[in-house]
Amino acid sequence: MGAAMSWIFVPQWTNFNIGVTALQVVGLAGCLSELQGNNAGYSKFAHANVRKVPSRPGMVLLYFPALLVSMWYLRAAPAENGRAQLTAGLLSFHFAKRVVESIWLHVYSGTMDLDFVMPISTSYALTAALTAHQQLTVPSVFLQTNGSQNLAQVGIALSLIGQLGNFYHHWLLRQLRLEGQRQYCIPSGGLFGFVTMPHYFFELLSWFGLACVTQHLSSFLAFADMLSYLSGRSVATTQWYKSKFKDYPSDRLHLIPFLF
């Protein structure tokens, strides 16, 4: 624990940092609503009898504000230690990729709940702003040790592997459907043979890599919040597939190959 904390910057406990950290700690319970059946209203779990938006513009709206925030921080980032530019650059790449995928890659089967789109879009934008802003508060001297620089290099590698793996499994899902086809089928290929949601696994890998680059406590807590929520969502999705397909592989795990 001591060695780990020597690589994670813990900020001064101002009212702002206390409030942010408290909210992120509460976010660690994000899996509970998914596990209890109160699923976020998109994709397979869109709710009936609520106002809807088409999935494609809805998904773009989810990510586009966060992309604008990330690009603003990239443009304004100081160059003293390089981490601010790198953090904002990785954020910009992530959200740009998600916007491009939402427009040109994904094939959608349904709609999204309108009351889901705006809160989540705001959450993504605030996460991007918080991640980029908090990295600016990490002292340069903290980032200049050999251990810190090595961790940053590991973080870059994990982030890029995560983005590539996420894209590849999104592409596999795209190959399962012809344009206009609305029926679900059992995914296959890549790590789909091991877990229901390998694209979530790789997204988490990219966010953990980003946390290693920033080395700020709030970035690791943001990753932990995402891990909690996506763990619950992956369990709910596995249960959904098993309820729809009697031949769904019984040995397929949820999220992390060989573990969960």
Side-chain angles (χ1 to χ4, degrees), residues 30-47 184 187 195-197 199-200 227-245 248 252-256 260:
C31 63
L32 295 180
S33 62
E34 292 290 329
L35 294 174
Q36 293 169 354
N38 300 316
N39 308 106
Y42 66 97
S43 186
K44 305 168 182 66
F45 300 101
H47 302 116
Y184 283 98
V195 292
T196 299
M197 307 296 278
H199 43 308
Y200 283 2
L227 175 61
S228 174
Y229 169 72
L230 293 179
S231 294
R233 186 74 172 186
S234 65
V235 171
T237 304
T238 299
Q239 293 171 343
W240 183 90
Y241 273 113
K242 288 183 175 180
S243 72
K244 299 296 182 181
F245 299 97
Y248 192 77
R252 188 174 295 188
L253 299 179
H254 307 297
L255 177 65
I256 304 174
F260 172 73

Side-chain angles (χ1 to χ4, degrees), residues 15-250:
N15 289 338
F16 173 78
N17 286 325
I18 291 172
V20 167
T21 303
L23 289 174
Q24 290 183 307
V25 170
V26 171
L28 295 175
C31 63
L32 295 180
S33 62
E34 292 290 329
L35 294 174
Q36 293 169 354
N38 300 316
N39 308 106
Y42 66 97
S43 186
K44 305 168 182 66
F45 300 101
H47 302 116
N49 303 318
V50 298
R51 294 184 65 184
K52 304 286 188 181
V53 294
S55 289
R56 195 176 307 278
M59 292 297 290
V60 172
L61 185 57
L62 284 186
Y63 300 112
F64 191 68
L67 172 60
L68 293 180
V69 169
S70 301
M71 292 178 66
W72 185 88
Y73 273 97
L74 178 60
R75 183 174 181 273
E80 281 81 0
N81 59 43
R83 295 288 181 91
Q85 293 177 329
L86 182 56
T87 297
L90 290 173
L91 286 167
S92 298
F93 180 79
H94 171 75
F95 289 112
K97 168 183 165 292
R98 298 300 288 123
V99 169
V100 169
E101 289 177 333
S102 298
I103 296 173
W104 286 292
L105 181 64
H106 296 318
V107 177
Y108 301 97
S109 296
T111 58
M112 301 176 65
D113 297 359
L114 181 60
D115 61 0
F116 164 82
V117 173
M118 296 310 298
I120 301 303
S121 177
T122 302
S123 175
Y124 282 149
L126 289 175
T127 297
L130 178 67
T131 302
H133 172 78
Q134 293 288 66
Q135 202 289 320
L136 294 172
T137 68
V138 181
S140 296
V141 65
F142 186 87
L143 302 174
Q144 291 171 353
T145 66
N146 289 335
S148 174
Q149 293 176 1
N150 290 338
L151 184 61
Q153 292 175 359
V154 170
I156 293 170
L158 290 176
S159 183
L160 294 178
I161 291 170
Q163 296 291 357
L164 289 171
N166 179 263
F167 174 81
Y168 174 65
H169 286 87
H170 283 164
W171 179 81
L172 287 178
L173 289 174
R174 173 67 176 84
Q175 302 311 302
L176 294 176
R177 298 184 186 177
L178 300 175
E179 192 69 41
Q181 181 178 343
R182 299 175 64 87
Q183 292 183 337
Y184 283 98
C185 56
I186 299 175
S188 60
L191 294 186
F192 279 114
F194 299 93
V195 292
T196 299
M197 307 296 278
H199 43 308
Y200 283 2
F201 169 72
F202 282 106
E203 180 165 357
L204 288 167
L205 193 66
S206 70
W207 280 102
F208 183 73
L210 179 62
C212 290
V213 169
T214 70
Q215 294 186 240
H216 196 288
L217 175 63
S218 69
S219 296
F220 285 96
L221 287 174
F223 162 76
D225 288 347
M226 294 177 193
L227 175 61
S228 174
Y229 169 72
L230 293 179
S231 294
R233 186 74 172 186
S234 65
V235 171
T237 304
T238 299
Q239 293 171 343
W240 183 90
Y241 273 113
K242 288 183 175 180
S243 72
K244 299 296 182 181
F245 299 97
K246 295 186 181 299
D247 58 342
Y248 192 77
S250 60

